[in-house]
Amino acid sequence: MAQDRIKKQPSEVEFFAGTVIRYAEKHGIYVPENRFLYDRVKKIEEEY
């Protein structure tokens, strides 16, 4: 992901953290750390 940030290209955050978040929501599991990191990376990508 660091290489993606340097190159200002989208990372795999949607594939990894996004998948975990969707499954967690489906099963009623709270994943605050994953949500925080997902939101932070998405915010960084918006600034490209």
Side-chain angles (χ1 to χ4, degrees):
M1 289 173 62
Q3 293 173 352
D4 294 330
R5 186 172 182 189
I6 292 167
K7 294 178 182 177
K8 298 188 184 293
Q9 62 187 23
S11 67
E12 298 88 7
V13 72
E14 186 63 43
F15 180 72
F16 293 110
T19 300
V20 170
I21 291 168
R22 283 190 298 280
Y23 277 107
E25 288 174 350
K26 179 180 176 183
H27 296 284
I29 300 169
Y30 186 56
V31 289
E33 294 85 4
N34 211 314
R35 172 64 71 180
F36 171 78
L37 293 171
Y38 175 85
D39 291 341
R40 183 67 184 116
V41 171
K42 288 302 232 182
K43 184 172 177 68
I44 290 168
E45 290 178 350
E46 287 175 6
E47 296 172 359
Y48 290 167

